[in-house]
Amino acid sequence: MDDLINASREFFHLPLEEKQKCSNLIDGKHFQVEGYGNDPVASKDQTLDWLDRLHLRVEPEDERNLVHWPEHPNSFRALLHEYTLTCKRIKDRILRAMAKALGLNEDYIVTQFSNKAPSFARFNYYPPCPRPDLVFGVKPHSDSGVLTILLMDKDVGGLQVLRDGVWHNVPSSPHRLLINIGDYMEIMSNGIFKSPVHRAVTNAGKERISLAMFHGLDPEKEIEPAAALLHEKQPARYRKMKAKEYLAGFYEHFCRGTRFIDSVKI
Ligand SMILES: O=C(O)CCC(=O)C(=O)O
Ligand SMILES: [Fe+2]
């Protein structure tokens, strides 16, 4: 884990021209999800976050766009490949345990993932910020997918989670993985599991790096509450929707700082 984070740190410390070889802007203008950069700018009054990102599709393996994968340092690609496989194993174990906790067939959630289900690795690099009181590292949001495995900076804190209207610091500590429930899981569990709202704050003194591994579903897959959880007294609390439609709504809301899941609740 340290090797991968250190390799990404080396990438983020490269001169801008070098990093822009992996840019998320086509022709310097048109935003695409993958690559190095920041959020798309949808409106003039949009608040940007204080971070640089490197966002890469890691699954399905045959859909990787290696043009966006840094060549420097040259260990980066192999380290990310290995870490992806480890996360996949962890994800499947957790999802089996969560299905059991819901009283579902142990494989119910795991089998929602087809061989077209995408996973994305997002390296978040937060430089020291001269005015932490004015800007977030990442604005409040919940993650869209089924499950996120977040590797936090081992020395520098900054992640906060909202609970009952109060923001709580998540302590940083070496080699700790934080498992974040995403919106798809909230929908599939019919709201029994909730996708938590979280944010990252900045600090003036130290840079910070985190790595989020997002596990999504096939864009054509319909996301809906598991039928086995529904009965007369417990009807579906979320509208059924294709993953690709959910994601389109999600990104639009994320840029505005609002939550798309609120608009799919019945
Ligand atoms: O940097 C962090 O700790 C959180 C990052 C995050 O929430 C995300 O990438 O979705
Ligand atoms: Fe997040």
Side-chain angles (χ1 to χ4, degrees):
M1 297 201 275
D2 288 347
D3 291 347
L4 178 57
I5 293 297
N6 289 338
S8 76
R9 193 183 305 277
E10 253 184 74
F11 169 78
F12 285 118
H13 286 174
L14 288 172
L16 188 61
E17 313 84 76
E18 192 59 39
K19 290 183 284 195
Q20 278 179 337
K21 290 182 183 160
C22 304
S23 173
N24 62 5
L25 295 176
I26 303 172
D27 300 331
K29 282 196 287 263
H30 305 292
F31 177 83
Q32 59 187 354
V33 169
E34 267 191 280
Y36 164 77
N38 209 301
D39 286 338
V41 181
S43 71
K44 274 201 295 222
D45 52 3
Q46 180 179 333
T47 316
L48 288 177
D49 293 331
W50 188 266
L51 90 165
D52 271 359
R53 282 195 185 126
L54 177 64
H55 198 188
L56 302 171
R57 179 190 294 267
V58 290
E59 302 263 12
E61 207 177 316
D62 60 1
E63 287 181 29
R64 289 180 184 173
N65 293 308
L66 292 179
V67 285
H68 301 299
W69 290 46
E71 288 186 54
H72 305 290
N74 60 19
S75 58
F76 180 89
R77 292 181 174 191
L79 288 168
L80 180 55
H81 174 69
E82 200 187 316
Y83 184 71
T84 301
L85 299 182
T86 306
C87 283
K88 195 173 170 177
R89 283 195 299 272
I90 296 172
K91 172 205 81 166
D92 286 347
R93 284 182 69 170
I94 292 172
L95 292 181
R96 287 203 170 89
M98 290 180 86
K100 265 167 103 174
L102 288 169
L104 298 170
N105 176 313
E106 183 178 56
D107 286 329
Y108 177 82
I109 304 172
V110 171
T111 51
Q112 304 296 309
F113 289 79
S114 69
N115 57 4
K116 288 260 174 258
S119 298
F120 280 88
R122 185 159 82 190
F123 296 85
N124 299 306
Y125 175 76
Y126 308 93
C129 174
R131 291 295 305 269
D133 54 324
L134 291 182
V135 69
F136 288 121
V138 172
K139 57 178 116 33
H141 67 284
S142 55
D143 296 343
S144 63
V146 179
L147 203 76
T148 307
I149 299 180
L150 183 70
L151 175 55
M152 291 180 292
D153 195 293
K154 64 188 172 89
D155 301 312
V156 187
L159 178 65
Q160 298 183 331
V161 181
L162 186 64
R163 187 166 183 183
D164 300 330
V166 179
W167 288 101
H168 298 272
N169 289 324
V170 179
S172 67
S173 97
H175 309 140
R176 180 179 290 183
L177 295 173
L178 183 105
I179 309 297
N180 229 349
I181 290 171
D183 291 351
Y184 295 175
M185 175 67 97
E186 176 167 334
I187 296 171
M188 290 191 292
S189 71
N190 203 29
I192 294 175
F193 292 130
K194 296 272 190 286
S195 58
V197 174
H198 54 284
R199 68 185 185 187
V201 294
T202 54
N203 76 82
K206 287 185 175 163
E207 66 179 21
R208 176 171 177 267
I209 292 184
S210 68
L211 166 55
M213 185 67 85
F214 300 103
H215 297 282
L217 292 173
D218 180 339
E220 297 299 331
K221 172 93 188 146
E222 302 259 26
I223 305 160
E224 59 186 325
L229 295 176
L230 307 181
H231 48 85
E232 210 180 319
K233 290 205 182 109
Q234 191 55 271
R237 295 170 59 196
Y238 302 84
R239 279 188 290 129
K240 168 165 147 175
M241 189 176 285
K242 281 195 175 174
K244 65 180 180 192
E245 287 153 19
Y246 194 90
L247 267 191
F250 178 88
Y251 278 118
E252 211 185 296
H253 278 255
F254 177 79
C255 291
R256 286 207 301 261
T258 52
R259 291 186 80 201
F260 185 53
I261 195 159
D262 291 335
S263 57
V264 304
K265 287 181 183 159
I266 297 174

